[in-house]
Amino acid sequence: MSTKPTVVVAMSGGVDSSVAAGLLLRQGYNVLGITMQIWQESTTQTKGAGCCSLGAVEDARRVAAKLGIPHYVMNFREFFAEKVIDNFISEYKNGRTPNPCVNCNRYVKFDALLSKAQDLGAEYLATGHYARVEFHEDRRRWTLRRALDHDKDQTYALYHFTQPELEHTLMPLGLVTNKAETRAIAEELGLLVSNKPDSQEICFVQGGSYTDFLADAAPETVQPGDIVDTTGKRRGSHDGIAFYTIGQRKRVNVGSPIPLYVVGIDAKTNTITVGGNDDLLEEGLIADDVNWIGLAGIDGPLPIMAKIRYNMDAVPAVVSPGENGSLILKFDQAQRAVTPGQSLVMYEDNGDSVIGGGTIQQAFK
């Protein structure tokens, strides 16, 4: 009989969440599995359409049966569409590059699903994320730390945690040393998903083609327009702003003696601005929609380590409070391709614990 509290595991049908459930079961928790139904009615290939598709539900159900735990499917379709898909479409309409995983974690997993878990009498919600949740005794705050496996660390997409959410969250894979160890545990547990490939696509986009998705959902984002240089001179044409992000070179079909990159996207005029590599370098940025984790907030300049995209090493910077809760960040050294719509995530100067984060609004030189 279980001597530890009840925990609901968000089971996506993948190896990570499956192993998270198995590890917590080993540790003596009373484990329940829940898979979120988020695929949309317009999705025709639900069998293998990624995380939380029909195929994922079937895999999660088989894993739960193997582990001997109850498994439920809950319908989050409309809520997911409102909080994640609608924002995704809106950001592209405004010429920005969104991160849908951040909003899914913020609103769907660690808000709505955690609430459902608590309604079922669970003390905790657990996921297969690679991150660590710990309590900082000196600050009397819950903290979010990078996973032991820095290559798999997912704290960049988890900066919106509140203190109550962290208090009721478990992430057992934060202590796993690498993905090979995760798969080895899955094999020990006899789980058929032990060699299942990691999902690399946007879960609500069939075939991974987000531009096809946007062509249906927001046709204005795939309308041809002008490409101009940094002086405003027309240099060519583009296929639609949805095909471009800051720093991109592909699809910049402009004759030039030097490589040209996207340095600006103006949705109002349907214009792409291109420039050289030096034009991509920015001294700082302004971010809003800020959330604090490691600290309650700041009232003056604070040296930090900053990440402005998922696959990058954190770099030194100084952050200061801006207007209306925004942040002004200045890099120690100029950074390339600061992209509005993406996340700024701030770490302590040792690069280990998340201080907080926000959404990049604009860059400045």
Side-chain angles (χ1 to χ4, degrees), residues 20-333:
L23 288 174
L24 292 168
L25 196 63
R26 279 183 175 179
Q27 293 169 18
Y29 286 92
N30 178 36
V31 179
L32 308 177
I34 291 181
T35 301
M36 297 181 295
Q37 176 184 326
I38 60 173
W39 65 87
Q40 302 300 296
E41 292 178 348
S42 60
T43 301
T44 58
Q45 299 176 356
T46 55
K47 179 71 176 178
C51 164
C52 302
S53 65
L54 278 176
V57 171
E58 293 169 6
D59 285 342
R61 184 177 290 121
R62 284 192 287 266
V63 167
K66 179 65 177 179
L67 295 175
I69 63 173
H71 176 256
Y72 307 96
V73 179
M74 291 190 172
N75 188 342
F76 284 84
R77 179 188 292 161
E78 291 184 4
F79 188 75
F80 182 85
E82 175 190 346
K83 295 297 185 180
V84 181
I85 299 177
D86 289 354
N87 173 265
F88 181 84
I89 295 168
S90 174
E91 288 289 82
Y92 270 106
K93 283 182 176 180
N94 289 316
R96 293 153 57 93
T97 304
N99 189 336
C101 292
V102 169
N103 279 341
C104 182
N105 290 330
R106 177 184 185 180
Y107 295 113
V108 184
K109 289 189 178 79
F110 298 106
D111 183 355
L113 184 57
L114 175 58
S115 179
K116 291 287 187 183
Q118 292 172 330
D119 288 344
L120 290 172
E123 179 71 19
Y124 298 105
L125 172 68
T127 69
H129 286 103
Y130 287 80
R132 290 178 287 168
V133 178
E134 297 179 1
F135 188 72
H136 195 294
E137 291 289 348
D138 292 340
R139 294 178 185 168
R140 307 302 298 170
R141 292 182 68 83
W142 290 92
T143 61
L144 181 68
R145 297 181 63 194
R146 295 183 70 191
L148 293 184
D149 181 0
H150 284 189
D151 290 336
K152 293 294 294 182
D153 174 66
Q154 292 173 295
T155 51
Y156 178 80
L158 295 168
Y159 69 90
H160 267 295
F161 265 118
T162 65
Q163 288 294 299
E165 289 166 354
L166 282 171
E167 184 179 0
H168 294 281
T169 297
L170 301 176
M171 295 182 178
L173 296 193
L175 298 176
V176 171
T177 55
N178 54 55
K179 188 58 178 268
E181 181 182 350
T182 302
R183 296 193 183 278
I185 296 170
E187 289 185 4
E188 290 174 16
L189 293 168
L191 305 182
L192 295 177
V193 297
S194 61
N195 291 313
K196 185 175 180 179
D198 292 341
S199 176
Q200 302 292 333
E201 61 188 27
I202 300 172
C203 65
F204 55 88
V205 175
Q206 293 184 54
S209 178
Y210 76 93
T211 50
D212 288 346
F213 173 83
L214 287 170
D216 290 332
E220 63 268 42
T221 66
V222 293
Q223 297 302 310
D226 289 339
I227 295 178
V228 302
D229 61 25
T230 53
T231 69
K233 179 181 178 181
R234 186 181 185 279
R235 300 292 299 273
S237 60
H238 65 78
D239 299 322
I241 60 173
F243 292 99
Y244 299 87
T245 188
I246 302 298
Q248 180 175 320
R249 186 179 179 189
K250 185 179 179 180
R251 288 182 179 268
V252 179
N253 300 317
V254 173
S256 172
I258 63 169
L260 294 177
Y261 305 88
V262 176
V263 299
I265 302 172
D266 189 330
K268 291 182 179 179
T269 61
N270 193 27
T271 302
I272 299 291
T273 301
V274 296
N277 190 63
D278 287 349
D279 294 312
L280 284 171
L281 296 176
E282 307 286 2
E283 297 293 333
L285 62 84
I286 297 173
D288 67 3
D289 193 19
V290 176
N291 183 64
W292 297 100
I293 295 179
L295 302 172
I298 59 172
D299 53 15
L302 177 70
I304 60 158
M305 300 294 288
K307 291 182 70 170
I308 56 171
R309 64 183 62 89
Y310 188 86
N311 292 316
M312 72 170 287
D313 294 328
V315 296
V318 175
V319 65
S320 302
E323 297 180 353
N324 301 317
S326 66
L327 293 177
I328 301 170
L329 180 138
K330 293 185 178 180
F331 300 108
D332 287 13
Q333 294 185 335

